[in-house]
């Protein structure tokens, strides 16, 4: 009974969005007076009016709200539907101080509030090197040529009209920036999963296997062992991709994303999809493919996206995003409402294939419990995991550890730093830890 | 497998597509690129200098072009940290000898500049030609790119002040780059064929080997690092970055009033303190345009922010009329950035 007095709503006051005692009183003195009075008569045994009101139940149930007692809006009020006005908090955001100019910066996806594995297109993370444009698809061209004539029988030009006539594939893949979690190599630096892991998204992409185009141009696979992909924006981003990946059929030229065309910020009208490889290779606003017999050492594979080792050497052409996972609920910068049951939920992914197992620890990695994986598990795609947890109110450290189908297990910070030091910037796939304290506040910590 | 010569033969005889695999298989899709089209777009320059345009440029000429077209963002000596990390600095004569920048391993480098990292001069040529200046990419002539590169190489003390860089000697300069021996491909993160089969890397062998352990996996939990206090609040009000219902709430890091004050009043204060409000109204013109007029004018221009930052810094006239705005060089750059961002976001 005492519990109910304290807890209208679910029957308990939470920090927000539940009625306070005062609000409940206000409701009680309004239209519901009639109800309350009749209840009083019926239940004369109840002592205090406060208890009476609570005992009646939740005003959200007892009082039909406006949406139940009036006419709603007609179809096509929003010809392109938008999220509820109550969903204004989950936005892609920049990390202050990370970049100096917005045109060469990153915005992070709000992983802390997303469900399942598909990132809503409007919340897909952004990384631009020279700003973004909304390109007129009728003026966009894709050229395929060779670094020299002997590598390709015929250099060709394709329009969107033509590309969209070709046999297409639709596949779900994650895309992760090579620098995701890069701020955290040395120490904890940012408060929430949005900023630690938010250069990560997953979509269903639709397009034409690059192999189809290269073969249509008469590629000589014997000589042409590399592909250069180039964008149409000011930076004309260029990246080298191995022909083995193209031949496997995995790499494709995409125009579709989650059932509609790509978003401008994600490369409209054409981008490359290179599953399992860091985002920079998924060249946006793709305008040209060159087949070549040598790698290209472009700016973003010779000055950036190179991993500094303690020896002073940089790893060049490091491209694969190795197995990684993170708990998104609860995560840093959040506060648990209460003791009791929680569905702990997170994401796992691997650039080497499918996720096979995810284990979760609540004691900083001493003991582990295998999480439920939500299937079907896709190749090189985000994979959602869930695990039951009853929080008893004492401090805890939550971690998740992914294993992929190759048997590779996500490393600890200690293991990763031992081989790569702390200045690598790229490819940090260490196990993430979230510390929970008695107040329920969750914060970012690193366990070695 | 595809037989190249045979297909060509058939193709030549019938001038129609054959299906050795899928060459020209999709009727009505794609057309041959003209030589002029390929030339227009195929501008990449490889480490073996394939694709390098002919031309030359001196250090002296490069100094002029750099001052005119690059210095506003990168500093006169490529040293600026304002818009991007510095281009120049951080290497020694000894590094030029060894081809390994020592500061990378000793930890003495405060920041990695372009020349402390790059091992291939083709990379820098290719990039400047394709992407710089940032707001007017692909506007440089080949000779200008050579000149700028000569100037940057001279800043790095790789070539003397009277040097002229050209397509003839660029390969020799390559052999002097301070970090030319600084790259390794001995890793497992290349998704193609390994080095021993003519590709790159070790064939996908990972460099960490964690194990799946379920019970009593270690004697104790060793915390390496926790969130510093400043970092807890540096990303604004976390409560407002989470749903207001569900199993958790965003932790209140600032408090609603503090958050709003910090953002709004702070900037208005700054604008007043910086003298901007003497000439600009929120909505309407005083001496210069009202801020909402500025917002309306630059609404869809993605580069407006950087241009306006430069304009506010340097002052100028002619966009809104003949009355000039005086230069604001006395203000801190980060303050100018804050002010312009604030103006463009509606001064709210």
């Amino acid at each position: 009974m005492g519990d109910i007095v304290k807890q209208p709503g679910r029957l308990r006051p939470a920090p927000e969005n539940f009625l306070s005692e005062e609000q409940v009183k206000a409701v009680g003195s309004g239209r519901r007076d009639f109800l309350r009075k009749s209840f009083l008569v019926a239940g004369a045994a109840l002592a205090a009016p406060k208890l009476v009101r609570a005992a009646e139940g939740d005003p959200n149930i007892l009082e039909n709200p406006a949406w139940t007692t009036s006419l709603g809006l007609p179809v096509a009020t929003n010809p392109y539907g938008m999220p509820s006005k109550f969903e204004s908090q989950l936005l892609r955001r920049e990390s202050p101080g990370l970049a100096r100019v917005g045109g060469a910066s990153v915005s992070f996806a709000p992983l802390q509030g997303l469900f399942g594995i598909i990132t809503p297109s409007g919340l897909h993370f952004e990384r631009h090197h020279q700003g973004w444009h909304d390109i007129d698809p009728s003026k966009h061209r894709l050229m395929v040529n060779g670094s020299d004539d002997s590598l390709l029988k015929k250099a060709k030009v394709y329009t969107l009209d033509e590309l969209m006539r070709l046999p297409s594939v639709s596949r779900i893949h994650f895309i992760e920036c090579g620098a995701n979690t890069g701020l955290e190599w040395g120490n904890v630096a940012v408060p929430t999963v949005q900023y630690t892991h938010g250069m990560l998204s997953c979509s269903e992409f639709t397009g034409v296997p690059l192999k189809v185009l290269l073969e249509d141009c008469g590629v000589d696979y014997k000589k042409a062992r590399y592909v250069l992909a180039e964008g149409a924006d000011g930076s004309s981003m260029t990246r080298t991709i191995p022909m083995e990946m193209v031949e496997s059929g995995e790499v494709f030229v995409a125009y579709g994303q989650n059932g509609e065309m790509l978003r401008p910020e994600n490369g409209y009208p054409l981008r490359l999809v290179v599953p399992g490889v860091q985002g920079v290779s998924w060249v946006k606003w793709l305008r040209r493919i060159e087949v070549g017999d040598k790698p290209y050492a472009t700016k973003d594979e010779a000055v950036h996206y190179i991993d500094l080792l303690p020896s002073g050497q940089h790893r060049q052409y490091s491209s694969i995003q190795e197995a990684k996972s993170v708990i998104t609920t609860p995560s840093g910068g959040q506060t648990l409402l209460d003791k009791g049951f929680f569905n702990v939920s997170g994401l796992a992914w691997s650039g080497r294939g499918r996720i096979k197992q995810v284990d979760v620890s609540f004691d900083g990695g001493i003991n582990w419990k295998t999480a439920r994986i939500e299937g079907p598990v896709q190749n090189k795609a985000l994979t959602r995991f869930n695990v039951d947890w009853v929080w008893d109110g004492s401090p805890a450290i939550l971690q998740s550890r992914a294993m992929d189908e190759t048997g590779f297990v996500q490393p600890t910070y200690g293991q990763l730093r031992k081989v790569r030091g702390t200045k690598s910037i790229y490819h940090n796939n260490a196990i993430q830890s979230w510390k929970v304290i008695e107040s329920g506040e969750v914060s970012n910590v690193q366990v070695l | 497998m595809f037989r190249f010569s045979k297909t060509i033969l058939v193709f030549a005889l019938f001038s129609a597509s054959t299906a050795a695999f899928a060459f020209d298989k999709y009727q009505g899709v794609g057309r041959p690129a003209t030589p002029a089209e390929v030339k227009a777009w195929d501008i990449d320059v490889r480490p073996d200098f394939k694709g390098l345009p002919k031309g030359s440029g001196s250090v002296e000429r490069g100094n002029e072009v750099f001052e005119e077209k690059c210095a506003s963002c990168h500093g006169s000596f490529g040293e600026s940290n304002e818009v991007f990390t510095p281009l120049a600095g951080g290497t020694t004569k000894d590094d030029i000898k060894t081809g390994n920048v020592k500061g990378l391993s000793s930890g003495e480098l405060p920041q990695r500049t372009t020349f402390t990292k790059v091992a291939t001069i083709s990379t820098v040529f290719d990039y400047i030609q394709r992407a710089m200046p940032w707001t007017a990419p692909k506007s440089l002539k080949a000779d200008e790119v050579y000149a700028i590169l000569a100037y940057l190489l001279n800043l790095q003390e790789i070539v003397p002040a009277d040097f002229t860089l050209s397509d003839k000697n660029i390969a020799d300069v390559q052999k002097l780059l301070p970090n030319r021996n600084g790259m390794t491909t001995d890793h497992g993160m290349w998704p193609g064929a390994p080095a021993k089969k003519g590709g790159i890397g070790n064939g996908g062998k990972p460099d960490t080997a964690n194990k799946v352990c379920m019970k009593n996996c270690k004697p104790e939990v060793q915390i390496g690092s926790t969130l510093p206090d400043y970092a807890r609040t540096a990303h604004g009000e976390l409560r407002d970055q989470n749903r207001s219902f569900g199993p958790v709430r965003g932790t209140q890091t600032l408090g609603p009033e503090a958050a709003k004050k910090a953002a709004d009043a702070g900037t208005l204060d700054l604008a007043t303190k910086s003298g901007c409000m003497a000439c600009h109204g929120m909505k309407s013109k005083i001496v210069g345009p009202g801020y909402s007029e500025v917002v309306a004018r630059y609404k869809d221009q993605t580069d407006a922010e950087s241009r306006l930052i430069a304009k506010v810094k340097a002052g100028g006239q002619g966009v809104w009329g003949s009355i000039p705005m005086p230069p604001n060089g006395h203000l801190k750059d980060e303050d100018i950035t804050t002010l312009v961002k604030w103006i463009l976001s509606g001064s709210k």
Side-chain angles (χ1 to χ4, degrees):
Chain A
M1 187 52 134
D3 219 15
I4 293 175
V5 175
K6 275 194 273 129
Q7 307 177 0
R10 154 201 137 190
L11 299 169
R12 174 188 194 282
E16 296 108 54
N17 276 18
F18 290 106
L19 294 181
S20 66
E21 297 273 316
E22 284 72 28
Q23 286 169 310
V24 174
K25 240 179 242 160
V27 173
S29 64
R31 287 198 295 131
R32 265 185 44 210
D33 264 11
F34 166 72
L35 232 178
R36 189 162 60 85
K37 275 181 205 136
S38 57
F39 191 77
L40 257 180
V41 177
L46 290 163
K50 209 167 149 199
L51 287 182
V52 174
R53 179 257 308 140
E56 285 175 34
D58 182 349
N60 290 301
I61 296 171
L62 299 175
E63 284 280 300
N64 275 327
W67 50 86
T68 313
T69 55
S70 62
L71 176 63
L73 298 165
V75 299
T77 304
N78 300 322
Y80 193 104
M82 296 298 287
S84 157
K85 66 181 179 200
F86 299 106
E87 292 296 311
S88 60
Q89 302 91 342
L90 297 170
L91 303 174
R92 41 187 182 205
R93 297 173 194 268
E94 276 189 278
S95 181
L98 180 58
R100 300 156 186 80
V101 281
S105 186
V106 180
S107 72
F108 296 80
L111 303 181
Q112 69 274 22
L114 303 185
F115 312 115
I117 61 169
I118 298 292
T119 311
S121 298
L123 295 178
H124 194 295
F125 82 94
E126 297 170 278
R127 170 75 171 109
H128 314 308
H129 287 264
Q130 220 139 326
W132 61 275
H133 299 271
D134 197 354
I135 293 176
D136 178 349
S138 72
K139 300 200 164 103
H140 189 73
R141 303 288 179 268
L142 177 67
M143 179 185 288
V144 178
N145 73 310
S147 67
D148 85 52
D149 290 343
S150 72
L151 301 182
L152 197 71
K153 273 195 247 172
K154 213 195 258 182
K156 282 193 180 181
V157 174
Y158 300 88
T159 61
L160 257 291
D161 296 348
E162 292 162 346
L163 291 169
M164 292 166 83
R165 282 165 71 176
L166 290 170
S168 70
V169 295
S170 293
R171 292 182 194 139
I172 296 174
H173 289 300
F174 79 82
I175 170 170
E176 182 184 21
C177 177
N180 201 23
T181 325
L183 291 165
E184 302 260 313
W185 265 105
N187 49 272
V188 171
V190 292
T192 74
V193 72
Q194 176 156 21
Y195 306 108
T196 58
H197 289 75
M199 284 195 260
L200 172 73
S201 295
C202 183
S203 303
E204 185 199 53
F205 293 99
T206 296
V208 184
L210 181 55
K211 167 185 168 150
V212 167
L213 299 175
L214 297 191
E215 292 176 7
D216 187 49
C217 295
V219 65
D220 181 351
Y221 282 133
K222 273 223 189 70
K223 291 191 204 154
R225 298 313 304 161
Y226 299 91
V227 157
L228 180 78
E230 180 183 87
D233 62 323
S235 77
S236 292
M237 170 61 68
T238 39
R239 286 277 301 178
T240 306
I241 289 144
M243 191 61 91
E244 290 81 13
M245 271 199 89
V246 178
E247 285 173 290
S248 77
E250 267 193 295
V251 178
F252 62 102
V253 171
Y255 43 80
Q257 178 182 358
N258 297 333
E260 56 186 1
M261 284 294 291
L262 292 163
R263 293 292 170 94
E265 299 93 319
N266 303 126
Y268 182 91
L270 210 60
R271 87 172 307 168
L272 202 63
V273 170
V274 193
V277 168
Q278 60 188 348
V280 65
S281 288
W282 298 41
V283 172
K284 297 190 282 189
W285 313 291
L286 183 72
R287 77 164 188 182
R288 192 169 72 93
I289 293 286
E290 176 174 305
V291 298
D293 52 359
K294 292 202 170 109
Y296 288 82
T298 70
K299 187 265 272 180
D300 287 301
E301 53 197 23
V303 182
H304 301 280
Y305 303 89
I306 53 176
D307 314 10
L308 180 59
L309 299 171
S311 66
Q313 292 277 301
H314 283 93
R315 282 185 176 164
Q316 195 176 20
Y317 300 115
S318 51
S319 302
I320 295 177
Q321 297 297 108
E322 294 180 311
K324 186 166 169 180
S325 69
V326 65
I327 293 171
T328 52
T329 310
S331 56
Q334 297 181 331
T335 298
L336 300 171
L337 278 188
D338 195 4
K339 292 179 218 176
F341 185 86
F342 283 90
N343 178 57
V344 171
S345 184
L347 294 165
W349 62 100
S350 167
R352 289 210 169 90
R354 289 179 170 76
I355 287 296
K356 199 163 159 201
Q357 183 176 328
V358 181
D359 303 311
V360 171
S361 171
F362 298 97
D363 60 8
I366 296 174
N367 297 296
W368 297 80
K369 183 173 167 185
T370 298
R372 300 186 302 276
I373 288 185
E374 302 305 318
V377 178
Q378 314 263 349
N379 181 35
K380 302 180 183 177
L382 291 190
T383 302
R384 177 62 65 174
F385 65 85
N386 294 295
V387 65
D388 296 352
W389 183 42
V390 177
W391 183 46
D392 62 6
S394 56
I397 294 177
L398 275 57
Q399 301 184 318
S400 64
R401 179 182 69 194
M403 178 171 77
D404 67 19
E405 63 183 341
T406 70
F408 175 82
V409 180
Q410 182 182 6
T412 64
Y413 263 104
Q415 290 167 335
L416 200 58
R417 286 192 186 136
K418 208 161 143 200
V419 280
R420 301 195 205 158
T422 57
K423 303 219 167 103
S424 169
I425 298 182
Y426 303 98
H427 302 112
N428 178 356
N429 65 329
I431 289 175
Q432 171 69 44
S433 307
W434 304 120
K435 185 172 92 176
V436 181
I437 56 175
E438 285 94 339
S439 68
E441 181 171 346
V442 187
S443 68
N444 185 1
V445 296
Q446 288 182 355
V447 171
L448 297 178
Chain B
M1 254 314 276
F2 165 58
R3 269 155 299 158
F4 194 70
S5 51
K6 195 174 169 193
T7 315
I8 281 189
L9 203 82
V10 177
F11 184 77
L13 281 176
F14 299 103
S15 94
S17 60
T18 62
F21 49 22
F23 177 47
D24 265 349
K25 173 171 138 187
Y26 303 100
Q27 267 183 49
V29 174
R31 60 154 177 91
T34 70
E37 286 171 338
V38 174
K39 192 167 166 239
W41 275 10
D42 185 356
I43 58 169
D44 64 86
V45 181
R46 273 193 339 199
D48 60 358
F49 301 109
K50 192 160 209 164
L52 185 72
K54 287 198 167 36
S56 67
S58 66
V59 172
E60 202 187 334
R61 173 84 185 110
N63 191 352
E64 289 163 20
V65 185
F66 196 87
E67 193 55 42
E68 186 196 333
K69 300 191 170 172
C70 322
S72 62
C73 290
H74 292 295
S76 292
F77 308 102
E79 83 294 353
S80 171
N81 204 8
E82 302 274 309
V83 172
F84 200 65
T85 45
L87 307 180
T91 67
T92 64
K93 284 260 174 236
D94 207 44
D95 296 339
I96 296 174
K97 269 187 224 138
T98 62
N100 276 304
V101 171
K102 198 158 163 244
L104 290 171
S105 54
S106 67
E108 281 154 28
L109 273 185
Q111 196 163 20
R112 280 181 275 171
T113 71
T114 311
F115 277 93
T116 60
K117 293 182 279 183
V118 72
T120 38
I121 196 69
S122 59
T123 303
V124 192
F125 189 101
D126 173 276
Y127 181 67
I128 294 174
Q129 171 173 264
R130 82 172 48 246
M132 287 293 137
W134 201 50
T135 46
K138 304 177 189 65
S139 61
L140 297 173
K141 294 186 191 70
D143 286 348
E144 291 176 313
V145 180
Y146 279 107
I148 290 168
L149 202 48
Y151 173 65
L152 290 173
L153 288 161
N154 176 249
L155 284 178
Q156 217 60 40
E157 298 179 37
I158 297 167
V159 302
D162 60 359
F163 191 76
T164 296
L165 181 71
S166 73
D167 54 296
K168 305 279 179 314
N169 61 16
I170 194 167
D172 300 329
V173 172
Q174 163 68 42
K175 294 179 195 135
L176 299 172
L177 279 194
N179 202 40
R180 63 187 174 276
N181 299 324
M183 297 292 159
T184 173
T185 53
D186 184 15
H187 57 74
M189 292 159 90
W190 174 248
K196 64 173 187 284
K197 290 194 180 151
I200 293 172
N202 68 17
K205 199 174 159 293
D207 60 354
T208 59
N210 199 5
K211 296 246 165 12
V212 170
C213 160
M214 302 304 289
K215 283 263 161 310
N216 298 320
C217 301
K218 55 187 178 188
E220 58 173 6
V221 176
Q222 223 186 319
I223 304 274
S225 161
T226 56
L227 186 71
D229 280 344
Y230 70 85
R232 187 171 177 267
T233 51
H235 287 69
E237 177 53 274
L238 298 181
R239 195 195 60 170
D240 299 342
Q241 301 179 23
N242 284 273
R243 278 196 187 88
S244 54
F245 59 93
V248 295
R249 294 291 182 279
T251 303
Q252 183 159 323
T253 42
L254 294 180
E257 267 151 45
K260 205 169 146 36
K261 264 212 201 102
D264 301 353
T267 319
L268 180 58
D269 267 356
L270 181 64
T272 312
K273 258 196 291 174
S274 310
C276 319
M277 302 314 287
C279 297
H280 294 282
M282 287 294 196
K283 290 220 166 68
S284 48
K285 182 175 162 169
I286 300 178
V287 178
Y291 292 148
S292 40
E293 297 174 75
V294 174
V295 174
R297 179 179 207 128
Y298 295 103
K299 207 170 78 211
D300 295 321
Q301 301 183 22
T302 46
D303 62 351
E305 192 179 292
S306 55
R307 279 199 286 137
L308 290 181
I309 288 169
K311 167 86 171 259
V312 172
K313 194 169 172 182
Q317 70 199 80
V319 178
W320 299 88
S322 56
I323 307 172
M325 169 162 63
N328 287 295
H330 59 289
L331 296 176
K332 273 192 283 179
D333 285 358
E334 58 192 38
D335 287 351
I336 295 181
T337 306
T338 309
L339 287 166
V340 169
K341 279 195 168 144
W342 174 71
I343 293 169
L344 289 177
S345 67
S347 325
K348 281 194 290 276

